[in-house]
Amino acid sequence: MANDTYLDRLSAQPAIRFCPSLLLLAAFLASAPLYPPNSRLMLRFAPDASPASDFLFAMMLACFAAAFFVLILSAKNPRWEGFQTGRQRIVATVGACAYGCLQVALWVLLAAGCKSAVLFAVLGVASGLCIVPVVMHWVRLYAMDFRSVMFYGSLACAASSAMGWIATMLPDAAVVVVEAALALAGSVAPLLFGRAPAAGREEGGAACAQEAPGGEAGTGLASSLRSFLSVVWVPLLGFLICTFMMAAYSFDTGGQVAQSEYAGGIVASAVVIALCMLRLKNSLVVLVDRLVVPACVAASIVLGGFPAGTPLFIAGAMLVYVPLILLALFALSSLAAMAAAGELPLPFVFAAAFLLSCVASLLGMSVQVNVPPGENLGPFLWVMLSVYFGIVVVHLGYVSWRQACSADDPGAPADDASTTQAETLQALQRGRIQALADAHALTKREQEILRYLSLGYGSAYISKTLFISDNTARTHMRNIYRKLGIGSREELLSLVNGL
């Protein structure tokens, strides 16, 4: 295949380098009350659910308010880095330490049998405000290329699921000690270790934030939200559905100690790690978006559609969270990769996603509280997944139709030369692209896009692979055409090929 070797090098992400500090995210995930399985563990100390519910609702409302504030601030001031410099970093450090101490206090009060609604509500509000800089720092640590985010995120997810599973089997005193220690470690770790290693970052990504054309991030909240949703709306919608389902409903597996969320987290993480280790000739994000996501949604529909109480329902309940957590991992990895791409400020990407997830969690918690005991939500959730599956299929059909109807935006490059000829042409082409970039002052992002254009890819594929909006990809393409003094794809290919 003519372009296989070059496409391998172009699509391949930087080698994944082992970074133990990133795995400490598992401690944060295993102790964060925002994760539904952790909140259900709290019910072990508060069977009447009142203290836990007071804390969780107050914390979620505080998270919503804090995320909204960060969203507005980052939209008005795109250059704001988010608690990274001067006094703001001191505030973030104090907040992270306070969050860890608040979680210790929470577990001590639960173990002591405290029933004060006011006290738990105050703890919830304070925890919600303090957790925001902690989560933002974790997002900054994970602002890498998509494959690295998926890999490390899956390892952290598997480890946190295993720790949560083990915690359900420990005596009460041990649970309090373990959860308190995990909360302290997960909140302080991102401040101690700083940014992730440069080798794992996407070329032309976070370092190219200043190169984003058109200043889309600074043109207002509505425009920024439009750009944000245009890139990640499909996986983000899946993540929000997953968040709502996990907050609203827990599949009962017949009274077993291990809840389906923990088993689903471990199995889903193993699948994602296997995908990350595969040697692919195409972009991993395109494979996941066009194949894995539809397969996951279809699997969730099948597993969640069995009649309640039957053996098939119990088996489905043990497995239904595997595809759902796969969707969540894909969405969160896409968001981190988008933050690394630099089209929108990292605080804005974090705040928009966190705000929406708070809304989904609040809706799910409201449903759980208001639905009568014994009411089966399975059919409603099944319909919700079916609608999402229809949306995914329609979206894929629309993308394929648009590529088929667009003469200058093919889905894949032409390929008709022998391997030996291809390798020779590819070496010449790489040198030619570098020479053009140097001669015409192309930025790193423009040079990266020029490589994709030289293979015949268009804006749809480029925007999906690089986690930038289609408008931004087209703006980069216009800038490349202007700098090279050309007006068509044919002229670009002739220039790159030295014809």
Side-chain angles (χ1 to χ4, degrees), residues 54-417:
D54 294 335
F55 173 84
L56 290 172
F57 271 104
M59 182 177 183
M60 201 63 67
L61 288 172
C63 287
F64 176 88
F68 184 76
F69 173 77
V70 172
L71 184 73
I72 298 299
L73 180 61
S74 58
K76 290 185 176 180
N77 183 16
R79 295 186 179 277
W80 180 55
E81 297 182 0
F83 307 107
Q84 285 297 296
T85 58
R87 295 180 180 177
Q88 293 184 6
R89 184 166 181 82
I90 296 176
V91 171
T93 302
V94 172
C97 295
Y99 170 76
C101 294
L102 288 167
Q103 296 309 294
V104 173
L106 168 68
W107 285 101
V108 170
L109 290 173
L110 286 172
C114 179
K115 303 291 184 181
S116 173
V118 174
L119 181 57
F120 278 102
V122 171
L123 274 177
V125 171
S127 297
L129 296 176
C130 292
I131 199 176
V132 169
V134 178
V135 178
M136 191 182 300
H137 274 78
W138 275 119
V139 173
R140 192 175 300 278
L141 273 173
Y142 271 75
M144 304 178 289
D145 64 273
F146 178 77
R147 178 166 164 261
S148 295
V149 178
M150 288 278 281
F151 179 77
Y152 281 110
S154 299
L155 286 176
C157 178
S160 66
S161 297
M163 287 188 286
W165 194 333
I166 293 171
T168 62
M169 306 176 192
L170 297 176
D172 290 353
V175 170
V176 172
V177 173
V178 169
E179 289 295 324
L182 290 174
L184 287 171
S187 59
V188 176
L191 298 175
L192 296 178
F193 292 102
R195 298 177 68 87
R201 295 189 179 275
E202 184 175 344
E203 180 186 357
C208 294
Q210 70 274 18
E211 297 174 6
E216 287 187 68
T219 56
L221 179 61
S223 177
S224 297
L225 284 174
R226 239 185 345 262
S227 297
F228 170 77
L229 293 175
S230 70
V231 178
V232 295
W233 74 270
V234 173
L236 180 62
L237 180 59
F239 170 67
L240 296 178
I241 291 174
C242 177
T243 301
F244 172 83
M245 289 182 63
M246 295 184 76
Y249 187 62
S250 179
F251 288 88
D252 186 3
T253 57
Q256 298 180 24
V257 174
Q259 291 189 355
S260 54
E261 293 97 334
Y262 296 132
I266 294 172
V267 176
S269 298
V271 172
V272 172
I273 292 170
L275 280 174
C276 292
M277 300 305 293
L278 289 176
R279 186 175 180 83
L280 302 173
K281 293 183 178 181
N282 214 324
S283 171
L284 176 62
V285 63
V286 174
L287 171 67
V288 174
D289 181 61
R290 298 184 181 179
L291 179 61
V292 177
V293 169
C296 287
V297 182
S300 300
I301 293 173
V302 172
L303 292 171
F306 297 120
T310 63
L312 287 176
F313 174 82
I314 295 175
M318 290 295 295
L319 297 173
V320 69
Y321 280 105
V322 174
L324 290 177
I325 293 176
L326 270 169
L327 286 174
L329 286 171
F330 174 54
L332 294 173
S333 300
S334 300
L335 290 166
M338 184 183 184
E343 178 183 353
L344 292 169
L346 184 147
F348 183 90
V349 174
F350 152 76
F354 197 44
L355 183 71
L356 292 173
S357 66
C358 288
V359 172
S361 293
L362 284 169
L363 289 175
M365 293 165 63
S366 300
V367 169
Q368 187 183 51
V369 169
N370 293 297
V371 169
E375 184 75 18
N376 183 17
L377 291 176
F380 170 73
L381 301 178
W382 185 85
V383 171
M384 181 183 296
L385 283 172
S386 299
V387 171
Y388 178 61
F389 180 71
I391 292 173
V392 170
V393 172
V394 171
H395 169 70
L396 292 177
Y398 169 74
V399 171
S400 300
W401 172 80
R402 191 180 67 172
Q403 290 179 349
C405 295
S406 178
D408 66 340
D409 196 14
D415 204 356
D416 57 4

